[in-house]
Amino acid sequence: MPAPTATTELNTQNLNVLGLTPLRSPSELEAELPASPSALEAVAGARQAIQDIMMGKDSRLLVVVGPCSIHDTDAALEYAGRLRGLADRVSDRMLVVMRAYFEKPRTTLGWKGLINDPHLDGTFDMQTGLRRARKLLIDIAELGLPTGTELLEPITPQFLDDLLAWAAVGARTTESQTHRQMASGLSMPVGFKNATNGNLQVALDAMQAARHPHHFLGINEEGRTCVVATRGNAFGHVILRGGADRPNYDPGNVADAAAALRKADLNPLLMVDCSHANSEKQHARQTVVWESIIEQRRAAGDDGAGGCPIIGAMIESFLEEGNQKLSDPTALKYGVSVTDACVGWDATERMLIEGYERLG
């Protein structure tokens, strides 16, 4: 390659970038799809209830339940309608939040979720993905059912966070400074999962970091790049999801996690994920983890959580049991997950009702 001359322009920027597609700003999307006062009231009320559970003011069990990921908004809305009725039946002992996951982290490759690829065909129409996600959250909030999601892209909250009652930072991103900073500015309680290898310290470090103020680069409601200054989020908590193919939901691991939280001067209350390594990646075994959670709560006494550190549980559940491979989008079975396998609706209903009765 010849050396550049004084008149030769040497390009050193965006060499591996194929294109840059502008998005509508968060404020433009919110203007197109505004949340009603009743929807926002439902979100605010659920956030306060979750905070009360975390502070020991509300003895109910927080249950985050729903699909591993949402790929079909019609099926998700049908699920939400069923879950709304179930949530009412157990509302005096459980606070039910629908799992509405639109972004999926990947160890290597794979479908990255509804926002990234809403047509499931590699066209990556993210503007449509954001619109579908926001529309679904509004529809669910109008039912009076709170939602929670994992936040992966740090600009996503500006488009959706007014509609979320709870958020999670996943096992692959809990150690990320970007996500800890993001969590420090979120308006809702945030759960931090232990690492995929089972390491709990990264979640404790994340809680410590997120409860303090930060300054970092982000976008505002108009989509302009700016310096974001945050207050810090006091409502972080740990999610035990197992690791390295070993569960950590048993009483011994739960007690150890609570002790580690106390030693770090953090809230010693936590959530248990019934799926992932805790279920040994077998969706039907989520019932085993759920039963242990209920029994640990029962053993703590009759006054709600009592001395039990477990304040919440997460269940991967959809209309139908199992999962399916994502190939031809037109040939997918309705109500079946395209990512992790889920328990079906009948099992979900049975788990929550039986858990409700045992907690009584």
Side-chain angles (χ1 to χ4, degrees):
M1 178 179 177
T5 67
T7 58
T8 301
E9 184 176 340
L10 180 62
N11 181 24
T12 60
Q13 188 175 32
N14 293 336
L15 299 183
N16 289 321
V17 174
L18 297 178
L20 295 166
T21 304
L23 287 173
R24 282 174 292 177
S25 69
S27 61
E28 289 172 328
L29 184 60
E30 290 171 14
E32 179 190 349
L33 294 170
S36 69
S38 62
L40 294 177
E41 183 177 348
V43 172
R47 287 179 182 174
Q48 185 60 58
I50 295 170
Q51 291 176 11
D52 288 346
I53 288 173
M54 293 180 61
M55 292 187 292
K57 297 179 180 179
D58 186 333
S59 63
R60 290 181 294 173
L61 178 67
L62 172 62
V63 183
V64 179
V65 55
C68 172
S69 61
I70 289 175
H71 70 279
D72 178 346
T73 55
D74 290 337
L77 192 56
E78 179 182 340
Y79 181 94
R82 295 188 192 185
L83 189 62
R84 180 69 178 88
L86 182 55
D88 284 344
R89 293 172 63 183
V90 301
S91 62
D92 60 322
R93 299 173 195 163
M94 298 178 185
L95 174 61
V96 175
V97 173
M98 179 169 164
R99 183 184 159 107
Y101 276 38
F102 303 117
E103 302 177 278
K104 296 301 295 180
R106 291 299 178 187
T107 302
T108 53
L109 299 173
W111 183 66
K112 297 178 185 176
L114 185 80
I115 291 176
N116 183 269
D117 188 15
H119 308 299
L120 296 87
D121 59 1
T123 53
F124 307 110
D125 181 6
M126 297 185 200
Q127 186 67 71
T128 295
L130 285 166
R131 189 184 187 284
R132 288 186 182 177
R134 183 168 179 84
K135 178 64 166 60
L136 180 62
L137 290 178
I138 289 172
D139 290 343
I140 296 174
E142 292 287 359
L143 295 174
L145 182 67
T147 52
T149 195
E150 178 178 343
L151 291 169
L152 188 60
E153 296 289 350
I155 70 167
T156 301
Q158 292 287 19
F159 292 92
L160 305 178
D161 72 342
D162 57 321
L163 295 163
L164 296 168
W166 178 88
V169 175
R172 293 170 182 80
T173 46
T174 290
E175 199 166 4
S176 158
Q177 175 176 302
T178 297
H179 291 81
R180 294 173 179 186
Q181 291 172 162
M182 176 189 71
S184 75
L186 292 176
S187 303
M188 72 292 295
V190 180
F192 296 93
K193 287 194 174 183
N194 64 251
T196 55
N197 64 3
N199 185 300
L200 180 65
Q201 188 60 47
V202 295
L204 304 186
D205 293 344
M207 287 177 63
Q208 290 276 22
R211 70 176 182 173
H212 287 87
H214 288 274
H215 291 75
F216 55 93
L217 296 177
I219 64 168
N220 62 12
E221 288 290 309
E222 285 67 50
R224 293 191 60 181
T225 305
C226 56
V227 177
V228 180
T230 66
R231 185 192 310 276
N233 192 334
F235 294 98
H237 63 89
V238 163
I239 305 174
L240 298 181
R241 49 88 72 198
D245 298 321
R246 292 190 299 274
N248 60 4
Y249 65 85
D250 59 280
N253 273 296
V254 168
D256 288 346
L261 285 161
R262 289 191 192 93
K263 185 177 180 179
D265 196 28
L266 295 167
N267 188 344
L269 303 177
L270 51 88
M271 176 181 285
V272 172
D273 181 357
C274 294
S275 188
H276 299 101
N278 274 338
S279 65
E280 301 173 19
K281 298 184 180 180
Q282 300 176 44
H283 65 277
R285 284 190 58 82
Q286 290 187 84
T287 58
V288 176
V289 185
W290 172 255
E291 288 167 3
S292 176
I293 292 168
I294 298 300
E295 187 54 39
Q296 289 180 62
R297 296 264 300 189
R298 275 172 50 89
D302 295 329
D303 56 340
C308 181
I310 300 174
I311 58 164
M314 183 181 293
I315 302 169
E316 290 190 326
S317 152
F318 206 10
L319 295 174
E320 303 295 338
E321 181 184 16
N323 64 348
Q324 59 187 322
K325 289 185 177 180
L326 180 54
S327 51
D328 179 1
T330 65
L332 293 175
K333 298 177 183 177
Y334 182 77
V336 179
S337 172
V338 297
T339 47
D340 287 353
C342 299
V343 295
W345 177 256
D346 290 344
T348 303
E349 187 175 43
R350 184 169 58 253
M351 288 168 68
L352 264 65
I353 293 299
E354 290 180 357
Y356 172 83
E357 292 173 348
R358 288 172 61 193
L359 288 175

